[in-house]
Amino acid sequence: MTKKVRRTFTEEFKQQIVQLYQNGKPRKDIIREYELTPSSLDKWINQSKSSGSFKEKDNLSPEQKELQEL
């Protein structure tokens, strides 16, 4: 049994994927072609919409930011 390695993606890659989706490419095609999980794709799309950034710290709610600063 092989252990599934967690892949990391660059900001540019995530941006390109979101761009494909925004340009009308079907979600299932993106997931299949790039071997992504549906949850990853959804997360990137939501992050792009909410803050335009894929960095975790840029996507924290005001409450989460406040907790981090304490």
Side-chain angles (χ1 to χ4, degrees), residues 10-42:
T10 63
E11 297 281 311
E12 293 79 19
F13 179 80
K14 293 176 184 180
Q15 190 64 54
Q16 288 172 339
I17 296 297
V18 171
Q19 196 67 54
L20 285 173
Y21 175 78
Q22 289 170 342
N23 289 342
K25 186 171 181 77
R27 202 171 154 272
K28 65 179 184 351
D29 291 353
I30 296 171
I31 291 165
R32 190 176 61 236
E33 278 181 45
Y34 296 95
E35 297 177 358
L36 301 173
T37 61
S39 60
S40 290
L41 180 58
D42 292 341

Side-chain angles (χ1 to χ4, degrees):
M1 205 161 106
T2 59
K3 185 172 179 262
K4 189 164 183 158
V5 177
R6 185 181 172 137
R7 294 158 59 199
T8 55
F9 301 98
T10 63
E11 297 281 311
E12 293 79 19
F13 179 80
K14 293 176 184 180
Q15 190 64 54
Q16 288 172 339
I17 296 297
V18 171
Q19 196 67 54
L20 285 173
Y21 175 78
Q22 289 170 342
N23 289 342
K25 186 171 181 77
R27 202 171 154 272
K28 65 179 184 351
D29 291 353
I30 296 171
I31 291 165
R32 190 176 61 236
E33 278 181 45
Y34 296 95
E35 297 177 358
L36 301 173
T37 61
S39 60
S40 290
L41 180 58
D42 292 341
K43 187 168 97 173
W44 299 346
I45 291 165
N46 288 332
Q47 287 176 341
S48 177
K49 281 183 196 165
S50 66
S51 68
S53 172
F54 299 105
K55 293 185 179 75
E56 289 295 327
K57 68 177 176 54
D58 293 338
N59 287 290
L60 296 176
S61 70
E63 294 81 20
Q64 290 170 312
K65 286 180 182 167
E66 197 175 311
L67 285 173
Q68 269 194 334
E69 290 168 9
L70 296 176

